Amino acid sequence: MAFGKLTIDWRSTIAAVWRSNRHFLKPITNVDLVNPDTLMGIDEQKDALFRNTENFLRGKPASHALLWGARGVGKSSLIKALLTRYHTYGLRMIQIPKEDLHLLVDITDEIVDSHHRFIIYCDDLTFEESNGEYRMLKSTMEGTLEKPPANVLIYGTSVCRRLTPAQLSVDDSSLSPSSDLEESLSLSDRFGLSLPFSQMSEETYLGIIDNLFKGRVQDTDLLHQEAISFAAERGGPSGRAARHFFNHCHTS
């Protein structure tokens, strides 16, 4: 696969990222391979996404996936964990910023004939209503005159299920059923798999803390008190807060 001056050998490259400023697809040599077993409190979401991805790899019907909800509870980490689990089965991943979604067709044209199967990963997938990138996303997922590529799925994350803001009243008689507003608001419905993520419980948070600090501390009660206080100052318990607390304790 060639973009700019680079050619990617997907036999040895399991992930790549689109670099907007230099307009090329960069192979990732140091992939952040997240261990699925470290992701706590999201077992239902994990099982659903694993089943969908396994169906995809086997050539069975599978859906584009939207992971939405609370921040810092494992949405992006769960998508990364797919590479850890499935890259030896031919799964490859391309991360693209939402600002460059207009390039989706170009990217998929380059990989459509590959024997590998690709997840196009887009983090923080939200749009302004004046922004037309969602149309390119919709076309890639559903196809136009050309069928969508069978070896490509789109997995995105968002803090909200609705990917565009609703700024106009649904009673506005000037809006037709085919209006841009209605089209943009229905984008989230194009994802066949919608996985909600709730705010992490304190119990799950402390379980992550215990795993991170296993064998490192003697006073667990004091550790938990400090960890809870740390999370309270950062929007509540989350996997992200747990990692930040761990790093804080080892740098202070």
Side-chain angles (χ1 to χ4, degrees):
M1 174 179 176
F3 267 94
K5 297 181 180 179
L6 289 181
T7 299
I8 295 180
D9 182 357
W10 291 109
R11 292 171 299 179
S12 57
T13 300
I14 66 173
V17 60
W18 178 256
R19 294 301 192 202
S20 304
N21 58 333
R22 288 180 286 174
H23 205 75
F24 78 104
L25 199 61
K26 176 185 177 295
I28 300 176
T29 56
N30 188 20
V31 181
D32 184 11
L33 293 175
V34 175
N35 183 350
D37 295 335
T38 65
L39 303 178
M40 302 176 64
I42 54 171
D43 289 344
E44 291 184 8
Q45 295 91 334
K46 189 189 304 185
D47 290 344
L49 197 63
F50 284 175
R51 284 196 304 271
N52 190 67
T53 305
E54 289 170 7
N55 285 340
F56 176 53
L57 291 171
R58 292 167 178 160
K60 297 181 178 180
S63 300
H64 304 291
L66 178 64
L67 287 64
W68 60 275
R71 297 182 184 275
V73 295
K75 300 187 298 295
S76 298
S77 294
L78 179 53
I79 292 178
K80 293 177 184 179
L82 296 173
L83 271 181
T84 308
R85 190 176 178 100
Y86 299 114
H87 75 269
T88 57
Y89 297 93
L91 182 67
R92 300 294 183 262
M93 193 171 293
I94 297 173
Q95 184 170 6
I96 182 172
K98 63 183 178 182
E99 295 80 9
D100 289 323
L101 284 173
H102 60 281
L103 297 168
L104 268 177
V105 174
D106 296 320
I107 292 176
T108 56
D109 279 350
E110 293 288 335
I111 60 179
V112 66
D113 293 325
S114 172
H115 69 276
H116 292 95
R117 291 187 170 263
F118 293 83
I119 289 174
I120 306 293
Y121 164 44
C122 188
D123 199 25
D124 192 21
L125 195 58
T126 55
F127 304 100
E128 298 297 325
E129 296 198 332
S130 60
N131 192 314
E133 272 85 1
Y134 64 83
R135 294 189 183 90
M136 297 303 298
L137 181 59
K138 176 179 176 290
S139 295
T140 302
M141 289 193 289
E142 294 193 339
T144 51
L145 282 177
E146 184 179 21
K147 288 184 178 180
N151 67 331
V152 176
L153 283 181
I154 296 172
Y155 284 5
T157 68
S158 176
V159 294
C160 301
R161 184 175 182 273
R162 286 296 186 188
L163 300 180
T164 55
Q167 296 178 344
L168 300 178
S169 169
V170 295
D171 295 327
D172 190 336
S173 58
S174 66
L175 290 177
S176 67
S178 60
S179 68
D180 287 348
L181 177 61
E182 182 171 321
E183 180 184 13
S184 66
L185 288 176
S186 68
L187 176 60
S188 59
D189 296 330
R190 310 295 177 181
F191 291 88
L193 181 61
S194 178
L195 299 176
F197 287 70
S198 302
Q199 183 69 42
M200 182 173 288
S201 69
E202 185 176 287
E203 179 183 2
T204 299
Y205 172 69
L206 293 178
I208 296 174
I209 293 293
D210 289 340
N211 281 341
L212 290 172
F213 285 87
K214 188 174 182 179
R216 296 174 182 265
V217 296
Q218 294 182 344
D219 194 338
T220 303
D221 290 339
L222 178 60
L223 175 68
H224 286 181
Q225 292 174 15
E226 293 178 351
I228 291 171
S229 297
F230 186 90
E233 297 172 356
R234 289 160 177 80
S238 70
R240 182 178 299 151
R243 290 190 298 273
H244 288 173
F245 176 69
F246 179 79
N247 293 336
H248 170 77
C249 291
H250 286 78
T251 56
S252 58

